[in-house]
Amino acid sequence: MARYALLLARLESPSAARLARAFDASGARARLDAPTVAHLAFGILLDNLTATAASKLHLALEHEGVAVDVVEESLLPALPRRRVLARGRIDAEGMTYFTPFGKERQLAWSSIDIAALGSVRRKPRHVVRSVIPGIEEDLETVETEDPTTAEDLVIDLVSSGERQALRIIADDFLYDCLGGRMRARARDNFPILARDILERCEVLPNRGAARFLLKHPDYFTYPSWAAFDEETRWLLWRVTDRQHASAEPPRPSESTRAKRKR
């Protein structure tokens, strides 16, 4: 049996109140799920739905002013194979990178459809120290990494035609390609590199890349890698949907003579 997903028509997170009312009206989802669904909506609002549930939710959401598209999950494009770069070079024709075996490869600027950029929160790590014996009371300390300060800066370049994606994580990349502009800290080099890349290719940007291009002082923050990748997948669906639409043959128009005969 086919399963369906509800994709946001625009990359705008719906309010939990609107979702709660829509869930109540449709009877296809619990009202208590609304805050979680709203928080995790980065393109794909809901998935793994039956045709009946998807139809009911679609109507209820439209009534609440939340525009969504119903898409069969088998038709959603998967993210291309991703390669994390440790080193690269910006050339006139494209992004040149190196394989683990030292061979050069290049992704042409003209083939890149999507640029996804942002600050991605790492999953908090809980470090529990062992209990200390030999004293009157056992002591146990828990050190938790603050997820609001532990974030990765990243840029993904996605080519739907080449079925390939390149990922650069700020702290894991060598910036020798910047030459004399290279600075001491990786996070000072990252925006220089990102701007060099984005100026060379015409792409569909995610919200983080759009904010960066507008020279906003703060990076757009994604709560997880799953959220970051989901938004990229939503953009990829938009790109492939446009390609399919443009590939359809034009419908024949009625001639003026035929109109007169009516």
Side-chain angles (χ1 to χ4, degrees):
M1 183 187 300
R3 310 298 286 186
Y4 295 84
L6 296 182
L7 275 67
L8 295 171
R10 297 178 298 276
L11 280 177
E12 298 175 358
S13 299
S15 70
R18 288 187 175 187
L19 292 183
R21 290 193 296 267
F23 291 175
D24 269 349
S26 68
R29 194 83 184 203
R31 181 185 185 89
L32 293 176
D33 292 341
T36 302
V37 173
H39 178 69
L40 298 177
F42 281 81
I44 302 175
L45 186 66
L46 292 166
D47 58 8
N48 198 29
L49 299 170
T50 64
T52 301
S55 178
K56 289 181 178 179
L57 284 163
H58 177 250
L59 291 174
L61 288 165
E62 290 284 348
H63 181 74
E64 288 295 331
V66 180
V68 294
D69 294 307
V70 180
V71 182
E72 188 176 334
E73 288 191 0
S74 62
L75 300 179
L76 285 176
L79 289 175
R81 174 177 54 89
R82 184 185 298 113
R83 183 186 296 272
V84 179
L85 305 187
R87 190 181 174 208
R89 187 177 68 243
I90 296 175
D91 292 326
E93 298 80 14
M95 185 72 190
T96 300
Y97 60 93
F98 304 90
T99 70
F101 302 101
K103 293 184 178 180
E104 287 192 4
R105 296 286 187 270
Q106 188 177 83
L107 185 63
W109 301 125
S110 59
S111 71
I112 300 172
D113 304 302
I114 297 166
L117 185 149
S119 175
V120 183
R121 291 178 182 171
R122 302 189 194 120
K123 191 173 182 180
R125 294 178 299 174
H126 299 277
V127 181
V128 181
R129 301 193 185 282
S130 59
V131 174
I132 304 174
I135 57 178
E136 293 183 1
E137 295 182 1
D138 292 337
L139 299 177
E140 185 174 314
T141 60
V142 179
E143 295 181 359
T144 306
E145 187 177 45
D146 183 356
T148 63
T149 58
E151 299 174 348
D152 285 313
L153 296 180
V154 61
I155 183 171
D156 278 1
L157 304 175
V158 181
S159 170
S160 59
E162 298 291 332
R163 297 297 303 158
Q164 189 176 5
L166 303 180
R167 169 167 289 178
I168 296 173
I169 300 174
D171 295 332
D172 299 332
F173 189 79
L174 297 175
Y175 294 92
D176 52 346
C177 60
L178 297 181
R181 296 179 297 158
M182 183 176 174
R183 301 179 183 178
R185 296 179 67 250
R187 297 200 172 207
D188 292 334
N189 288 313
F190 179 79
I192 301 174
L193 177 70
R195 196 163 297 280
D196 282 354
I197 291 172
L198 294 174
E199 287 176 350
R200 285 169 169 78
C201 50
E202 295 183 6
V203 294
L204 185 62
N206 73 343
R207 285 181 287 184
R211 174 183 282 197
F212 178 80
L213 287 170
L214 291 173
K215 299 183 179 180
H216 194 281
D218 299 318
Y219 290 103
F220 190 95
T221 299
Y222 294 85
S224 65
W225 284 107
F228 182 78
D229 288 338
E230 180 182 304
E231 188 165 300
T232 303
R233 193 181 182 197
W234 183 90
L235 291 169
L236 185 60
W237 170 70
R238 284 293 184 192
V239 168
T240 54
D241 193 51
R242 287 179 189 172
Q243 291 171 347
H244 292 156
S246 62
E248 292 180 357
R251 295 180 181 179
S253 58
E254 191 176 17
S255 67
T256 305
R257 181 178 297 178
K259 290 179 181 177
R260 289 174 180 171
K261 288 182 179 179
R262 286 193 305 180

